[in-house]
Amino acid sequence: MKENKKTVLITGASTGIGRAIAIRLAKEGYKVFAGIRKKVDKEEIEGLDKNIQGVYLDVTNSGSIEKAFWYVIKNTDKIDVLINNAGIVEASPVECLDIKRLKEQFEVNTFGALAVAQKFLPLLAGSRIINMSSDASTGLFPYISAYCASKRALDILFNSFYLENKDNIKVISIKPASIKTPIWNKSAKRARDYFDGINEAVRQKYEKDLLILEKNALDNNTKGLEVYTVVDTVVKAIKAKNPKASYNVGFDATLAQWVSKLPIELSNRLIKGRLKI
Ligand SMILES: NC(=O)c1ccc[n+]([C@@H]2O[C@H](COP(=O)([O-])OP(=O)(O)OC[C@H]3O[C@@H](n4cnc5c(N)ncnc54)[C@H](OP(=O)(O)O)[C@@H]3O)[C@@H](O)[C@H]2O)c1
């Protein structure tokens, strides 16, 4: 039976930020469709709150998006908030960045978000789309340039969507600094597996930088901000009568935005100095 509650669809809700947002909104009385990819994650998240309904949704798979749409439409006539949260981080020096991995980065973080929004448009008139962007969208971080580019592209595409759309859909970009979530271990592992298999000469050239990169990624497990900082910002963006187009979460996100406004030569010098590369 269709319910009369405010409804949210969130992609990538199995872990980290997505999971935390799903739980918080469910506790506040929203009906939450939580995008997951595994049966075990569906059972786990549905067990947390009766307002959460797991929905199989792989954002890179058009068949999966189609099925998710028909599943959701059976349960509601309207999505009040779509949260494009699913994301991965590909790390590599550009010199040996595998094009397949670069495409995968964009498939999840950028094209997937757009594909989901396009499919669910019939349920979104007058609603809000919240994109989990990143400080990487304004930052120019070496070794994760694929990630930065995917988030920048996400923000550019959706800003145009906001300007163009005739359905009064607001678009909000959330730009967190580093947050303590499983994404950092996953990314470090993916990068490590990849570098172990690349050309020895290239690997040796970048070995020192890659170790710093891996350490920085793993340090985020302790030094990163708590997940609730992002959740609070999302809740604020949902409840604000006139939400901002973009919210930074954490000082580093504001710093990245500030640095992005400097002449490129100066910002490059600052980044090189800070990373000691
Ligand atoms: N953590 C940070 O420091 C940080 C900072 C700025 C922005 N962000 C952004 O926040 C978002 C959430 O990240 P997180 O830190 O919470 O990481 P996380 O715990 O690794 O969560 C990522 C989520 O995305 C899902 N996902 C990955 N590929 C997918 C696909 N093809 N289709 C559907 N779902 C997929 C994962 O599902 P599975 O479990 O099924 O793989 C998981 O639920 C990402 O967009 C990330 O870029 C994170």
Side-chain angles (χ1 to χ4, degrees):
M1 203 180 68
K2 296 188 179 180
E3 296 179 58
N4 229 356
K5 293 176 177 165
K6 289 257 184 207
T7 301
V8 178
L9 169 63
I10 175 160
T11 66
S14 63
T15 56
I17 294 170
R19 182 176 186 275
I21 296 170
I23 295 169
R24 168 77 171 273
L25 292 177
K27 296 262 172 283
E28 293 207 10
Y30 290 81
K31 169 83 195 167
V32 178
F33 291 100
I36 38 74
R37 296 193 291 173
K38 297 181 218 82
K39 188 165 179 267
V40 61
D41 291 332
K42 182 170 161 64
E43 286 166 1
E44 198 267 343
I45 202 152
E46 286 182 347
L48 295 173
D49 195 299
K50 64 177 178 8
N51 281 335
I52 301 181
Q53 203 164 330
V55 46
Y56 291 110
L57 180 48
D58 181 333
V59 302
T60 64
N61 181 321
S62 57
S64 169
I65 297 173
E66 182 76 25
K67 273 194 199 151
F69 174 75
W70 289 110
Y71 178 81
V72 168
I73 212 169
K74 258 192 234 148
N75 292 278
T76 184
D77 297 326
K78 183 164 168 53
I79 299 285
D80 296 284
V81 189
L82 164 64
I83 305 179
N84 283 315
N85 169 77
I88 58 171
V89 180
E90 288 292 356
S92 171
V94 175
E95 175 175 334
C96 54
L97 175 57
D98 180 54
I99 300 302
K100 233 176 84 196
R101 293 162 63 93
L102 175 60
K103 285 182 181 165
E104 195 189 341
Q105 176 70 90
F106 273 78
E107 292 288 351
V108 181
N109 291 16
T110 316
F111 309 149
L114 187 58
V116 170
Q118 287 175 340
K119 184 70 217 175
F120 282 84
L121 267 185
L123 301 182
L124 288 171
S127 299
R128 293 179 185 190
I129 296 176
I130 297 184
N131 288 324
M132 201 49 67
S133 178
S134 168
D135 61 354
S137 171
T138 52
L140 296 166
F141 307 139
Y143 304 115
I144 54 163
S145 55
Y147 180 67
C148 296
S150 73
K151 292 295 188 182
R152 186 79 193 113
L154 174 77
D155 284 334
I156 291 171
L157 285 166
F158 273 90
N159 194 60
S160 282
F161 168 80
Y162 166 69
L163 294 170
E164 296 157 3
N165 92 84
K166 313 289 183 225
D167 297 312
N168 190 27
I169 300 170
K170 289 194 168 76
V171 174
I172 298 149
S173 167
I174 308 284
K175 297 187 178 73
S178 299
I179 309 292
K180 286 181 210 169
T181 72
I183 204 167
W184 299 110
N185 283 346
K186 291 182 205 171
S187 154
K189 181 174 182 325
R190 215 175 8 246
R192 171 61 52 197
D193 290 348
Y194 176 55
F195 296 131
D196 284 349
I198 64 170
N199 177 299
E200 181 64 19
V202 178
R203 193 156 61 81
Q204 275 186 8
K205 240 193 309 182
Y206 288 106
E207 189 78 59
K208 190 172 138 262
D209 293 357
L210 295 177
L211 286 173
I212 294 173
L213 175 76
E214 188 175 27
K215 182 177 176 312
N216 282 347
L218 297 176
D219 277 356
N220 287 329
N221 287 321
T222 47
K223 291 188 186 155
L225 299 172
E226 299 294 336
V227 175
Y228 77 80
T229 54
V230 185
V231 178
D232 285 352
T233 308
V234 168
V235 170
K236 191 160 125 187
I238 290 175
K239 292 185 176 171
K241 193 161 169 252
N242 294 304
K244 295 199 293 180
S246 174
Y247 292 83
N248 290 329
V249 183
F251 173 73
D252 282 357
T254 303
L255 184 64
Q257 194 167 46
W258 183 78
V259 170
S260 75
K261 297 188 194 310
L262 297 174
I264 187 83
E265 294 80 8
L266 182 54
S267 65
N268 279 348
R269 224 180 307 147
L270 289 173
I271 293 166
K272 263 182 173 279
R274 179 144 186 211
L275 292 181
K276 300 187 181 65
I277 56 175

